[in-house]
Amino acid sequence: METPAAPPATAEHIANTTEPYGCWPSPIEASLTASLDGRPEYVGTVGDEVWWTEPRPSEGGRRALVRLRSGGGPEETVLPAPWNVRSRVVEYGGRPWTAARGERGPLLVFAHFADQRLYLYEPDAGGEPRPLTPLGTVGRGLRWADPVLRGGEVWCVMEEFTGPSPTGVRRVLAAVPLDGSAAEDRSRVRELTDDRHRFCTGPRLSPDGRRASWLAWDHPRMPWDGTELKVAEVAAEGSLTGVRTVLGGPEESVAQTEWAADGSLLAVSDRCGWWNPYRVDPDSGGAVNLCPREEEFGGPLWKTGLAWLAPLASGPVAVLHGLGSSVLGILDPETGDLVDVAGPWTAWQPTLAVHGSRVYGVAASPRSGYEVVELDTSTGRARAVGAHAVDRVDPAYYPEPQSRTFLGPDDREIHAHVYPPHHPARRAPADELPPYVVWAHGGPTDHVPPVLDLHIAYFTSRGIGVVEVNYGGSTGYGRAYRERLREQWGVVDVEDCAAVARALAAEGTADPARLAIRGGSAGGWTAAASLAGTDLYACGTVIYPVLDLQGFAEETHDLESRYIDGLAGPPDTLAVRNRERSPAARADRIKAPFVLLQGLDDAVCPPAQAERFLRALRGHAVPHAYIPFPGEGHGFRRADTMIRALEAELSLYVQVFGLRRDDVERLELGSG
């Protein structure tokens, strides 16, 4: 375990203390990093209050629902532990709550992670949450997400497993009565749509309540490949009639739909090659681009209920837009004028809510972690109003990112964020180059913005550089950029990460003998594939990874069960691609030490892949460590898990890079 951090150095020591890279002391301990992990999600307004969910690593990794009353005051946790406001629809979840003002205060409907039931709760009226849906299990049964209140019902996505296979599942829009009658009687749940489409988002209701819109798509497409915007009339008895597709298709991704206050239908579509905002005729399907730009006003729909735009009642539309990372702007839908919000925030998460003239979102910068931000559009003033936990860290130790563009094979551009080693009271000898770790993000259809991340600061404050690579296939740079990875997973991502690492070494930024690669999920695939495909890296950290293309296609959850079609090729070519690219099939080529971290409850990248990979490695004298974590799924959430994982990773670098540290327990690297 780590020893207590030394007090901050005084100014006169800053220029006089020289220590080798990787050997610097740091107050950013693994325990502190773990306690502040995660970010707020799913912002919403309840009357003039703002609510959101936030992680609680020290409370078993649950997500708490938090409210901030109007007029200020402290944040309040709506539900005590062990209540966990989190859905498991498509495993990654979706918006897990909705609320409205009732006669006795807020009326809340939420999904509880432990049993995946919907519950009704009135926090100001006393009492306990009351179940609305039948009892299932965390692994199977019924799941719910993206709810909206309508009269005496809550409308939402219903996910129902029909067999033991992870792909034996159906999804529909459903109406659940608020009187609790469906809690013991599944037949009381009204299905609003049929299950002809494999996936759908929750419904959005027009202001007059007469129409509903939602998104749908089918295998083998992922939602960033092609989705359909559906519109239907809401009949007097509450059924949906006249269902039709008004936008989208196999090669057009519609990422969001919302109704404006005047009854017009808004959507975010990439029909021009970039996710842009459109006004859509709900009858004819005609679409007008409200702000034609080669920028992204949307992103990958990994979860239902994400929001990149939110119309205000007065007419303007709050939008998130940009290249690589998003900023908040206010769009005039009549003129196309777009005014960005002033403030320090450089990246906004896809969650927006409005009340009157106020807009709420979640944003961060290189100097601040993700926090809830309020914009008053009447004055233009923006301020942080919630989730300021990173204030516990001395800003002098924050890393200072440099956003850069590198050239890869065929002179293709590669976007990356470089985080050099940084410490207010230490410097390295003038003739020493620092070790660097290449971070490959997950997804792979995703991206990373240059914002404060204490997991990065944990290493940079100790004298180890980090570079995050938005390799070809990443979002944030248009459809053509993310299409670079089509059928090239394990090739383009590996090449792009290597090109960035080699460029840093060639220019004298990084020590070419002390390069490492690290990634989780799809990034774990890239890290492991890089170790098997190149001798560039001295070691690697592989976290809940994909390691076997065929195994992943057969064992993963429903959402990604056909993802490999686009990433590696159609099923009839998969066996060949698997032999050519999968780390499990090329384990004999790995020579560099590595650590493999795996959650044993992972339904996305099941531990069976890690076990097959390790069996394939037997007989090859490669120093490595395998650390399984019972109770963890895809993405570590518990503080003790994150502490163990960070310290194991640091120990790997200490041993391989030849660093002098006595503040981290030595990780045993076996070769059996």
Side-chain angles (χ1 to χ4, degrees), residues 414-490:
I414 308 166
H415 303 284
H417 310 302
V418 181
Y419 295 81
H422 176 77
H423 195 292
R426 294 293 188 274
R427 62 180 180 183
D431 60 351
E432 184 187 6
L433 292 176
Y436 259 81
V437 184
V438 176
W439 282 29
H441 64 70
T445 312
D446 209 339
H447 76 281
V448 284
V451 298
L452 179 62
D453 182 340
L454 291 187
H455 291 260
I456 293 176
Y458 178 80
F459 294 104
T460 57
S461 63
R462 286 167 168 75
I464 299 172
V466 170
V467 55
E468 291 189 299
V469 182
N470 282 322
Y471 47 80
S474 301
T475 57
Y477 306 97
R479 184 160 187 138
Y481 193 86
R482 71 177 188 268
E483 290 282 350
R484 287 185 189 176
L485 205 58
R486 183 162 293 278
E487 299 192 13
Q488 294 297 309
W489 197 33

Side-chain angles (χ1 to χ4, degrees), residues 624-650:
H624 67 277
Y626 174 52
I627 307 178
F629 294 101
E632 288 284 11
H634 198 67
F636 299 152
R637 297 176 181 272
R638 298 175 179 174
D640 55 347
T641 299
M642 288 182 274
I643 292 169
R644 177 73 173 116
L646 268 176
E647 292 181 343
E649 183 176 356
L650 178 59

